[in-house]
Amino acid sequence: QQGTLVQAVQQGKWILIEDINLAPLDVLSMLVPLLESGELFVPGRGEVHKAAEGFQLFATQRVSAQSSLHSEAYTLLGGLFTEVQMEELTMDECHTVVNTLHPAL
């Protein structure tokens, strides 16, 4: 059974990696060639997977007073992503999102 990332790459799906700044360096280093050339190398299996049309990789990184934008993730991947910074949602905005997506709640 292929992992979630490999399946997304092969099938041209979108994938979201939350808190990428917490990922181990070996995982981050696998993402660089994927983002640069569209190829994912899986070292444990010796496989190379070419990203299918439509594949997109999104990642989040929490930034707080305790963390730094210059984490290993940012240093390694910073130039490969488009960075979008967002303020925390207000309670009213959270209610709007939930009510829009799940009106039955």
Side-chain angles (χ1 to χ4, degrees):
Q1 170 98 359
Q2 299 286 2
T4 304
L5 179 58
V6 171
Q7 289 179 39
V9 167
Q10 291 175 333
Q11 298 170 16
K13 303 281 184 172
W14 289 13
I15 191 161
L16 170 67
I17 301 174
E18 290 187 80
D19 298 328
I20 196 166
N21 53 307
L22 301 178
L25 192 54
D26 59 331
V27 171
L28 297 175
S29 63
M30 285 179 52
L31 297 178
V32 172
L34 178 59
L35 295 169
E36 288 181 334
S37 66
E39 292 186 343
L40 175 65
F41 175 66
V42 183
R45 296 182 173 203
E47 300 171 346
V48 177
H49 301 276
K50 183 76 175 154
E53 186 175 333
F55 172 75
Q56 294 288 319
L57 178 79
F58 299 89
T60 66
Q61 174 173 314
R62 291 179 197 253
V63 179
S64 66
Q66 293 81 25
S67 69
S68 168
L69 277 176
H70 299 288
S71 68
E72 290 176 336
Y74 187 81
T75 302
L76 191 60
L77 303 173
L80 301 174
F81 282 99
T82 299
E83 187 174 324
V84 178
Q85 293 187 16
M86 298 178 62
E87 297 295 323
E88 192 170 324
L89 295 178
T90 65
M91 191 57 77
D92 286 341
E93 291 169 326
C94 288
H95 285 289
T96 300
V97 170
V98 170
N99 289 334
T100 301
L101 295 174
H102 306 286
L105 291 179

